[in-house]
Amino acid sequence: MGKDKIPRPVFNNPFLNIIVNPDDGTVKRDPEIRNPSNSDPNGTSAVISKDVTLHPHNKTWMRLYLPRQAKAAASPANRRKLPLVVYYHGGGFVFCNADTNLYDVFCQGLVENVGVMVISLDYRLAPEHRLPAAYQDAMDGLHWIKSARDEWVRDYADLDNCYLAGTSAGGNLAYNAGLLAVSAAKDLEPLKIKGMILHHPYFSGTKRTGSEQRLARDSLLPLYAIDQMFDLSLPEGADHDHEYCNPLINGGSKLVDLMKSSGWRVLVTGCFDDPLVDAGMEFAKMLDAKGVRTVTFLSDGYHAMEVFDPSTSGPFYAAAKDFLSTN
């Protein structure tokens, strides 16, 4: 399929219109479509969801998703526990939420098409809360999950078969949360993380990649927006070779060795007309060179295509399902 056959959606693109308030450094965020959870026991949707509070002071929360048919199997003897995917939404660390329509629909698709339980984290956004705030929120979420206080987690999630996943900035978050999690594996038991699914991960650096140069004026994610969102989310004074932005710096984190020794597997996906694709593939090569079992999935299309246009998501869901079913 050629790129001219994958039209980009027309929508209000916040990445092209980042307005920073000079008085307090906050960002103007336009209203967006946000979906309510759907746990109606009499509904017809294939996926049900509910929201739970994570950290009241930080105003963080999570949306839990289950296949309706799993919930319908009320007898414990008939329940099959599901692989657990902990998902982090995109938006350059600056925009969007777990209940943003695009990400809510994408998570429902993961549940329905991949056969998993999904827990999606609504983390604190930059610049009001710069990194590593979102990574810390991710760890809060993992500790909440490991406690299995919620009946959906207790009854339906296979805590021994967990993957961290995310789109764009969420892919960056999944990796950096993964570094924290693998170094705290004992503290997270009985939750056992087996790897990551990084969907078009948001990485960059001071040295421009070929795809960044080739697609510097991309209509969805231009180079200046990539840079500006990192400027707004990285710690004050950090450049774009900070480890939160450039995972290749200094040869990559030494904690990647723990991912290898723990047997983690990683799926990294990208599209050829995504400015971030080269950084993502170089990241995958780094993991592979360090001995982490790494699979890449490349296709025609643009950044986060499967989120913006669900009709294109089939091949990605198939790749994710195949990845999760491989030992």
Side-chain angles (χ1 to χ4, degrees):
M1 182 181 292
K3 62 184 179 181
D4 58 337
K5 296 182 181 179
I6 308 177
R8 300 185 182 213
V10 177
F11 65 102
N12 182 25
N13 186 345
F15 312 138
L16 298 177
N17 188 30
I18 301 173
I19 301 174
V20 180
N21 185 330
D23 295 329
D24 60 9
T26 60
V27 170
K28 179 181 181 296
R29 298 179 178 90
D30 293 328
E32 58 180 359
I33 300 173
R34 300 177 69 168
N35 294 348
S37 59
N38 174 24
S39 58
D40 180 2
N42 300 314
T44 59
S45 61
V47 177
I48 57 175
S49 61
K50 69 175 180 179
D51 298 336
V52 297
T53 298
L54 177 57
H55 196 304
H57 177 73
N58 291 337
K59 298 180 180 179
T60 52
W61 55 276
M62 297 185 292
R63 177 161 290 182
L64 282 59
Y65 298 84
L66 273 180
R68 180 176 293 278
Q69 63 182 12
K71 190 71 167 63
S75 169
N78 295 327
R79 288 181 190 144
R80 178 179 65 88
K81 291 204 171 183
L82 299 167
L84 175 62
V85 172
V86 183
Y87 179 79
Y88 310 108
H89 68 79
F93 294 111
V94 176
F95 300 101
C96 300
N97 299 91
D99 58 356
T100 297
N101 174 69
L102 295 171
Y103 295 107
D104 179 62
V105 170
F106 185 70
C107 286
Q108 290 182 54
L110 278 172
V111 172
E112 184 175 4
N113 295 285
V114 183
V116 295
M117 178 178 178
V118 169
I119 298 180
S120 179
L121 172 70
D122 195 73
Y123 53 88
R124 287 173 291 174
L125 297 177
E128 295 86 355
H129 305 282
R130 289 176 175 266
L131 298 174
Y135 306 152
Q136 293 164 348
D137 294 341
M139 287 301 292
D140 284 347
L142 295 178
H143 280 285
W144 183 92
I145 293 166
K146 75 135 188 188
S147 71
R149 294 173 190 162
D150 181 86
E151 62 173 332
W152 284 18
V153 176
R154 185 171 59 250
D155 294 345
Y156 303 102
D158 182 357
L159 295 187
D160 197 45
N161 191 16
C162 175
Y163 287 81
L164 308 183
T167 297
S168 193
N172 175 309
L173 202 167
Y175 170 64
N176 282 286
L179 295 176
L180 297 174
V182 77
S183 64
K186 289 291 184 183
D187 291 339
L188 290 174
E189 290 179 352
L191 182 66
K192 184 177 181 181
I193 298 169
K194 290 191 171 181
M196 302 178 289
I197 300 173
L198 309 184
H199 180 234
H200 304 187
Y202 180 43
F203 298 128
S204 189
T206 56
K207 182 180 179 181
R208 294 306 181 196
T209 67
S211 59
E212 284 179 328
Q213 295 179 61
R214 175 170 56 87
L215 299 165
R217 297 184 179 180
D218 184 69
S219 62
L220 175 64
L221 191 64
L223 191 56
Y224 75 82
I226 293 171
D227 288 348
Q228 189 176 13
M229 287 187 290
F230 268 126
D231 288 342
L232 291 168
S233 57
L234 289 171
E236 292 280 4
D239 68 17
H240 292 192
D241 279 333
H242 190 283
E243 61 183 336
Y244 296 163
C245 179
N246 183 357
L248 305 184
I249 201 69
N250 298 321
S253 172
K254 290 180 172 54
L255 293 174
V256 171
D257 294 335
L258 284 179
M259 292 182 176
K260 174 189 174 182
S261 62
S262 299
W264 283 31
R265 299 184 303 116
V266 182
L267 171 63
V268 183
T269 80
C271 284
F272 294 116
D273 279 339
D274 179 356
L276 300 178
V277 65
D278 285 358
M281 293 303 107
E282 288 301 316
F283 165 78
K285 289 179 183 177
M286 180 271 289
L287 292 183
D288 188 64
K290 287 178 173 289
V292 177
R293 291 183 291 168
T294 307
V295 178
T296 58
F297 173 74
L298 284 165
S299 64
D300 286 338
Y302 50 89
H303 181 67
M305 174 179 69
E306 297 88 352
V307 170
F308 292 116
D309 183 359
S311 71
T312 68
S313 62
F316 166 74
Y317 289 146
K321 186 172 185 176
D322 181 68
F323 172 74
L324 290 176
S325 65
T326 303
N327 292 324

